[in-house]
Amino acid sequence: MPIFMDRHFLEGTSAADVARAHRMDLDIQDRYGVKFLTYWFDQRRGTAFCLVDAPDMETAQCVHREAHGFVAGEIVEVALSAVEAFLGRIHDPEPAPGQSTADVDPGHRAILFTDIVGSTEMTARLGDRIGTEMVRAHDAIVRRCLGQTSGREVKHTGDGIMAAFSATAAAVKCAMRIQQEFEHYNGGNTEPIHVRIGLDCGEPVEDSNDLFGSTVQLAARLCAAAASDQILVSENIFREYGAADLFGHASRRRLKGFSKPMLVFRCDWMNGGPA
């Protein structure tokens, strides 16, 4: 059966209320031949997201309607591999030792893209073998920084990496650390590697799009728009991070796939980043 993720608008609802509704879904799911795998709840934003194995969207909605009446406002078909890559799990989490219930994950994620500047020209000039080694060096540095900041690699793009973070601050810290690591690398190598980075954050299901669809798209476009050794972040990142002095040179830019100019901020990683 296909896998769906839905989005509920539950402003004013508590985590206990959402947990109770999830248990009510589980109590009657067998009548409809569906299986509710897990859920995420963002109390600050008033949104919840359910992951369900169901014959179709309407059947999944029927369970919600009968169990508790919290019918989803949006629902999309997803791949389990993508859900696990972005969100880190596809089943209900186990409580930590000493806890009776697991902490509720809001499902909100920051998405980071890296891109090697001039990778095609670099490969043409240096040859396939050296070009491949340069990509490997990039991957090693980025993955080390992801490991240090609790980032999760979603996929390799050929000349870059897409990653997801549960915390916006961790994503920004990782982006700055990546640029600092490449600055250090380039100081000791005759063939430097320059990267650009883009960041946005958002919810798993947004306006009947793909999983993190608009968030992924904007982060990728910001990465493509960044200059060499630059980090560009969205207005969402700027507002979530809460440290305006780290971001400067705000401007509105037209980005492919977006009908209106987007407010873009440059991250001052040389002066504001971690050592």
Side-chain angles (χ1 to χ4, degrees):
M1 289 192 298
I3 305 295
F4 300 99
M5 179 173 280
D6 63 23
R7 181 193 198 194
H8 299 259
F9 301 94
L10 301 173
E11 188 174 356
T13 305
S14 70
D17 290 335
V18 176
R20 190 179 306 111
H22 180 58
R23 290 193 298 271
M24 294 168 76
D25 286 329
L26 298 179
D27 287 343
I28 70 166
Q29 63 183 5
D30 291 344
R31 301 180 200 169
Y32 290 86
V34 306
K35 184 175 182 181
F36 280 81
L37 303 175
T38 190
Y39 73 96
W40 295 261
F41 176 53
D42 190 334
Q43 188 161 3
R44 182 163 73 90
R45 298 175 181 85
T47 51
F49 310 91
C50 300
L51 187 65
V52 55
D53 186 347
D56 51 58
M57 295 180 183
E58 181 53 36
T59 304
Q61 291 279 52
C62 283
V63 177
H64 285 322
R65 191 176 293 113
E66 180 180 332
H68 45 68
F70 294 145
V71 178
E74 304 283 348
I75 184 167
V76 297
E77 187 171 348
V78 296
L80 279 180
S81 58
V83 174
E84 189 161 25
F86 280 111
L87 293 165
R89 62 181 175 87
I90 55 174
H91 299 291
D92 285 337
E94 293 293 330
Q99 291 184 331
S100 58
T101 59
D103 292 334
V104 179
D105 179 353
H108 192 269
R109 295 291 185 268
I111 305 299
L112 175 151
F113 275 87
T114 69
D115 179 62
I116 301 173
V117 177
S119 59
T120 301
E121 295 83 353
M122 183 176 67
T123 300
R125 179 170 56 85
L126 300 174
D128 289 342
R129 185 179 66 82
I130 301 300
T132 298
E133 289 303 315
M134 300 289 275
V135 173
R136 287 177 178 169
H138 160 275
D139 295 349
I141 289 173
V142 172
R143 286 167 177 157
R144 182 167 66 248
C145 292
L146 290 176
Q148 293 168 346
T149 54
S150 301
R152 180 180 298 106
E153 182 176 343
V154 176
K155 72 173 181 178
H156 197 280
T157 62
D159 50 9
I161 283 175
M162 175 170 66
F165 297 79
S166 298
T168 297
V172 173
K173 181 178 180 180
C174 183
M176 293 189 291
R177 182 162 285 170
I178 288 170
Q179 291 293 18
Q180 291 164 353
E181 287 287 329
F182 277 109
E183 183 181 44
H184 177 74
Y185 173 90
N186 292 339
N189 287 273
T190 56
E191 289 293 342
I193 300 174
H194 298 282
V195 301
R196 47 184 158 232
I197 299 175
L199 285 167
D200 186 31
C201 59
E203 298 178 333
V205 179
E206 304 165 294
D207 301 324
S208 296
N209 210 325
D210 295 330
L211 189 68
F212 288 102
S214 62
T215 303
V216 168
Q217 184 183 17
L218 182 52
R221 295 305 181 199
L222 289 170
C223 182
S228 179
D229 306 320
Q230 195 174 77
I231 302 168
L232 293 184
V233 309
S234 68
E235 185 176 8
N236 293 329
I237 292 286
F238 174 78
R239 293 184 182 280
E240 287 281 331
Y241 192 79
D245 57 338
L246 185 61
F247 304 104
H249 303 88
S251 61
R252 291 198 176 273
R253 302 196 189 190
R254 289 199 172 273
L255 302 175
K256 185 177 179 181
F258 294 88
S259 59
K260 297 180 180 179
M262 306 298 290
L263 188 57
V264 176
F265 296 83
R266 194 171 73 194
C267 177
D268 185 15
W269 61 269
M270 289 186 179
N271 298 320

